[in-house]
Amino acid sequence: MEDLLPELCDQFPDLVRVVEPMFANLGGREAFGGEIVTIKAFEDNSLVREQVAQPGEGKVLVVDGGGSMRRAMLGDMLAEKAEKNGWEGIIIYGCIRDVNAIGQLDLGVQALGTHPMKTDKRGLGDLNVPVTFGGVTFTPGEFVYADNNGVLVSAQKLELTDA
């Protein structure tokens, strides 16, 4: 699945919305995609902890952390739980920590950057609401795809056909 996004853009130019370049690919799985599950929370990863404990086969967790560069919304323990529960990947509009351990997992992870400080746990945030960043709205139930070329969203599941 290397260079998945250019292929999807070539085959489905009218069906994809490309997110502005801003993310670093930090997980062990370079290319990933799936059905969108969203969280909107600022410097509080309580909902991230709850969601990665749920079955995640075929799903990608999209976390709108408000672009905060002051706290990490994901660390190695939550990433390991996500991998164990079958999540395809996690995209964080914010930071992660424990980047070396996360890079060893069979989990796609993209984030704006890294920060060593964990978040407070106040139980704040919204689950499965549309979130917008990078010029694109991520709607629960739509699909997101990510690789080293970037991130894109589609209202429908995209399958590559042989050219």
Side-chain angles (χ1 to χ4, degrees), residues 122-150:
R122 300 181 308 273
L124 302 176
D126 297 305
L127 177 64
N128 277 332
V129 296
V131 297
T132 302
F133 53 83
V136 170
T137 297
F138 297 79
T139 303
E142 290 192 341
F143 294 85
V144 63
Y145 301 91
D147 70 6
N148 287 324
N149 295 287

Side-chain angles (χ1 to χ4, degrees), residues 66-87:
S68 173
M69 302 301 279
R70 303 183 309 186
R71 299 285 177 136
M73 294 292 285
L74 180 74
D76 60 344
M77 293 190 307
L78 295 186
E80 286 170 13
K81 191 172 285 192
E83 178 192 41
K84 187 180 116 202
N85 287 318
W87 287 86

Side-chain angles (χ1 to χ4, degrees), residues 43-46 71-74 117-121:
E43 296 182 3
D44 182 341
N45 71 350
S46 302
R71 299 285 177 136
M73 294 292 285
L74 180 74
M117 183 69 74
K118 67 182 179 180
T119 68
D120 293 328
K121 310 276 187 297

Side-chain angles (χ1 to χ4, degrees), residues 38-96:
T38 66
I39 290 174
K40 184 175 183 72
F42 187 73
E43 296 182 3
D44 182 341
N45 71 350
S46 302
L47 286 178
V48 175
R49 176 181 302 277
E50 289 175 16
Q51 285 306 295
V52 298
Q54 304 298 317
E57 291 82 12
K59 297 179 182 176
V60 174
L61 189 59
V62 176
V63 180
D64 180 353
S68 173
M69 302 301 279
R70 303 183 309 186
R71 299 285 177 136
M73 294 292 285
L74 180 74
D76 60 344
M77 293 190 307
L78 295 186
E80 286 170 13
K81 191 172 285 192
E83 178 192 41
K84 187 180 116 202
N85 287 318
W87 287 86
E88 304 299 324
I90 303 173
I91 297 171
I92 299 198
Y93 183 53
C95 291
I96 70 166

